[in-house]
Amino acid sequence: MGRKALAARYIHGVSNVVKPNSSKKPAAAGLRPAADLPSPAAVNAAAASFAGLTAKLDYLSVPDLAQVRLAYRYADQAHLGQLRNSGEPYITHPIAVAAQCADWKLDAQALMAALLHDALEDCCVTKVELIERFGSPVAELVDGLTKLDKLHFSTREENQAESFRKMLLAMARDVRVILIKLADRTHNMRTLSDAPRDKWARIASETLDIYAPIAHRLGLNQTYRELQNLAFRYLRPWRYAVLSKAVTKSRGRRRDLIQKVHEEVDTAFANSGMDVRIAGREKTLYSIYKKMEEKHLTFAQVTDIYGFRILVPSVIDCYTALGTLHQLYKPVPGKFKDHIAIGKLNGYQSLHTTLVGPSGVNVEFQIRTEAMHLVAESGVAAHWLYKVNTPQGTGDWLGSKWLQSLLDIEDETRDAAEFWDHVKVDLFPDAVYVFTPKSQIMALPKGATVVDFAYAIHSNVGDRTLAARINGEQVPLRTEIKNGDVIEIVTAPGAAPNPAWLGFVRTARARSKIRQHLKTLAQTESEDLGEKMLAQALRAEGIEKLPDDTGSNRLLWEKLLRFSGNKSMSELFLDLGLGKRIAGIVAKRLLTLLTDRGEKPDALLLTRERYTTNEAVAQGGVVLDGSESASIRFAPCCGPVPGDAIVGYLGRGEGLLVHAADCAVAQKLKLKDSERFIDVQWSDEPVRPFETEVRVTVINGRGVLARVAAALAAAEADIIHIDMEDEAAQDATDLRFVLAVRDSKQLEAALSNLRRTQSVLRAQRAKSVQ
């Protein structure tokens, strides 16, 4: 459409102006109703904007270009009469977003969605109308973007978790959604100066905390750097201005040096006969600021502000160019990185080397091919720049593994806060590169442990991990891996994830898999415990065993489930095992149902149960041997060990908690919730040691701790943890030990050894007693 026609539509179409219902965007893309007719200059600006967009669409087919023009006309009509905060027609914003998408060579559907991305919310257009006019794929993209626009982020994680989850999952299902959203956010940030100043900090913080890391994770480095710089400009305007002035002055001072390096490098490559393209590279203001802040440097101490990028035809030329540079200038030891042989997680590939240039100034060089440069700047968008046909079809393009992992984690984690906890560590992927015993390279986040490595291989390997070797030496599972490590995982069929692993694993995949396994295990154990408790309670009512779920008994169980409000027997047993229901009450109801159909309690069994309550084990009570997992826990307040008299408390939704019988906490609970206590006893053969705490009062002096540790070792008690008073050294001090012992006899032997040790004043168990 020509400018005259467009101006005519503005002039003659005022009565049909679509007014926005609300001021939609908190960002610079905010719109306002037009108080007056747009000026001719504004109309010309809108026409010029679309003319500039069409000039970038030469890669589209004629039918696709026609569809984009239709979407533009529809969006232009929908936004007619709406103005941005700057006073420009609102349509200039969707055009600018589409232009950014065109730079990435996104397909026609994405460009149409970019032009229409505000139509649903601002212009009373419905999704059905978009489907009828432009097809379902475009409507789904616009709908996804509209839902993202409705999300309001907060720096407080508990508030932003659900919003962040929705955004990441929309991105994972179709990456074009987030590409259009990043283009939208980039244009908003470029025009943020037109927004009210009181909104700058919130919008800039949101950009820095959420959108810039996503752009980085997807390899959109040019967008990442621009978003960081723009956010810095509005978040710290004074610091931005000062640093910008300093960089400008530095640029002037170092112009001769940079020119000299450029000429010498150009001459070196010309003499070697290599066809290269040399480009200068300047560190962004935000990255300079972060380096100064993190390393406590002055601006003068930041030496790597300027660098060079060498673009060559092929991969082998990258290494040839490296040799040429190393012949020209001496390399700085330890400052070479080969990201071609081992690429970064987001697809980035390049050789990095720092050389000592003229006047002793360090200069960084990046060497890559043109294709690598495309990926380095455009990341996941290079999928379209490479003219791959469909964004959903290939599955193995850049970033797809991370995006797929989001969907996998979502399948395993329905809690938004937990999902955010899993994902946030993957947004900043400083990587380490390690090898399997078969020399396969694997990239993991910095700080990852051997358990993360095991889960990166396969979830079954992680779940069955027993031990690990790094470079042939056995190491603890919490050991952090380093670049170049060769890691071997030792597995065993009976091994299982340990809850303590959650304290040191680094990757979202490992964390979600461990939690999923523990939840499944806890549920299974709680069901078994609940069934056992109901059977025990029913025996106390004189019924030998639980009726099975067959034949006439099926109706019986249906009535009991209606009474309890559960959908299945498994759910009822789970509620009993978790303490959400009282086994005695359910057993009485089951007895009533059995009595109604003619069954009577066994009088002999009833009498025996009443007079042998302390022999619950023989009657099918809960037996503890240490193999229990999350469904049964041992109270830390008293630390019961085999040989102690114990009681079991069924907390509401917490499973079974085992206390020593003389524990003060247990006694108080008994007065308040006596019906929640059940019979528990130790097995004759526990399968593991149990932890308990002892307090030792000693006279301060050289070698005291060594003597105490030797006394415990003599009793074969393992020291799990030591805690000392924080106060300054005094004549006497308390040491608190967490010990692992087989039973109360071994514990008493350890305490006796301690009491006979020189400098020990007192040694006793640390537990609450009545």
Side-chain angles (χ1 to χ4, degrees), residues 64-79:
D64 282 347
L65 188 58
Q67 287 295 311
V68 173
R69 288 183 181 276
L70 282 176
Y72 162 69
R73 293 192 187 105
Y74 187 85
D76 192 21
Q77 180 64 45
H79 289 296

Side-chain angles (χ1 to χ4, degrees), residues 646-650 656-659 676-680:
I646 51 175
V647 291
Y649 174 71
L650 205 60
L656 185 63
L657 191 62
V658 180
H659 286 270
R676 289 190 167 273
F677 279 81
I678 67 170
D679 290 324
V680 291

Side-chain angles (χ1 to χ4, degrees), residues 527-676:
E527 283 183 27
D528 293 342
L529 176 63
E531 184 175 3
K532 186 179 285 189
M533 288 164 54
L534 183 57
Q536 181 182 341
L538 198 60
R539 287 181 63 84
E541 300 296 333
I543 303 297
E544 179 69 30
K545 62 180 181 178
L546 285 173
D548 56 31
D549 183 27
T550 56
S552 60
N553 288 336
R554 190 162 295 166
L555 182 61
L556 181 79
W557 280 106
E558 288 176 1
K559 290 179 179 179
L560 184 65
L561 293 175
R562 279 198 297 272
F563 165 77
S564 66
N566 295 106
K567 296 178 182 177
S568 65
M569 290 172 62
S570 294
E571 187 180 289
L572 173 61
F573 293 150
L574 180 61
D575 282 356
L576 289 169
L578 291 174
K580 294 181 180 179
R581 303 193 183 282
I582 304 299
I585 296 173
V586 177
K588 289 182 186 299
R589 179 61 181 174
L590 184 55
L591 175 65
T592 302
L593 294 172
L594 289 168
T595 304
D596 288 346
R597 75 176 193 183
E599 294 188 30
K600 293 183 179 180
D602 185 328
L604 181 61
L605 177 62
L606 195 59
T607 303
R608 191 167 68 224
E609 285 290 322
R610 286 177 179 172
Y611 288 100
T612 59
T613 53
N614 290 331
E615 298 174 15
V617 177
Q619 315 304 334
V622 179
V623 182
L624 307 175
D625 65 359
S627 63
E628 306 80 24
S629 185
S631 60
I632 299 177
R633 295 175 297 120
F634 295 89
C637 54
C638 51
V641 298
D644 291 339
I646 51 175
V647 291
Y649 174 71
L650 205 60
R652 290 175 174 82
E654 300 170 358
L656 185 63
L657 191 62
V658 180
H659 286 270
D662 59 354
C663 175
V665 175
Q667 296 296 334
K668 288 177 183 176
L669 289 172
K670 215 165 208 177
L671 292 174
K672 188 169 62 174
D673 281 332
S674 59
E675 75 280 0
R676 289 190 167 273

